[in-house]
Amino acid sequence: MGEENNRMIFMMIAAGLGALILICLIRAVLGPTAPDRLVAMDTTNTLVVAVLVVLGAAWNEIIYVDVAIVYAMLSFVSTLYISKYLEAAQ
Amino acid sequence: MISIVQLLILAGIVVSAFFVLRFKDLLASVISLAIMSLLLSIEFYILQAPDVAIAEAAVGAGLSTAIYVIAIKNSSRWEA
C-alpha cells in the first residue's frame, strides 16, 4: 500500500517535470537568438537529470541513478562547446 | 501514470525533430538535435534500458554535438 502510493507520487512528480521540459522546448523553438536556445537546452538538461533520478526512485532501482550521473557530466560538455563557439563568433 | 510521462516525452521528440529540419540557423539546429537526443535518452530509460540510455547520452549529448559545432566552426553557420 505505502509502496504503491510512493510510486504514484514519484510518477506524478516526473509528469510535472515532463511538462516543464515541454515549456523549455517552447523557449528553444521560439527563442530569437542562439543564447536563448542554449539556456533553454541547459535548463532542459538539468530537468532531464531530475527526471532520471525521480524515475529511479519510483522504480526502486539503485543502479538507475548512475545514468543520471553520466548524463549530468556529459550535458555540461555540450553546453560548454556551444558557448565557446558563441564566444568565438562575437 | 508512466504513460503520461511517456506521452510528454514522445511529443517533445516529435516537435524537436521537426525543428531540427526547419531551422535555417545551423547552430539552432544542433541545439534542437541535442534536445532531441536527450529526450530520446529519457525514453530509453523509461523503457527500462539504462545501458542504452547511457550510450545514447554519451554519443548524443557529448560527442555528436561537439563534432557538429566543430564542423559549423570550420564552415558556414547559416543555411544558404
Side-chain angles (χ1 to χ4, degrees), chain B residues 5-51:
Chain B
V5 184
Q6 209 165 4
L7 198 70
L8 290 171
I9 299 299
L10 288 172
I13 289 177
V14 171
V15 170
S16 54
F18 174 72
F19 278 97
V20 170
L21 298 177
R22 202 173 168 281
F23 279 136
K24 296 289 182 201
D25 183 357
L26 294 182
L27 196 68
S29 267
V30 168
I31 290 174
S32 197
L33 186 68
I35 292 177
M36 199 209 85
S37 82
L38 68 91
L39 291 177
L40 191 61
S41 170
I42 306 186
E43 183 57 37
F44 285 140
Y45 187 87
I46 288 173
L47 295 173
Q48 313 247 338
D51 45 352

Side-chain angles (χ1 to χ4, degrees), chain A residues 45 48 52 59 64 71 74 78, chain B residues 1 8 38 45 48 57-58 61:
Chain A
N45 280 330
V48 165
L52 295 182
W59 286 315
Y64 280 20
Y71 202 84
L74 291 173
S78 67
Chain B
M1 197 66 214
L8 290 171
L38 68 91
Y45 187 87
Q48 313 247 338

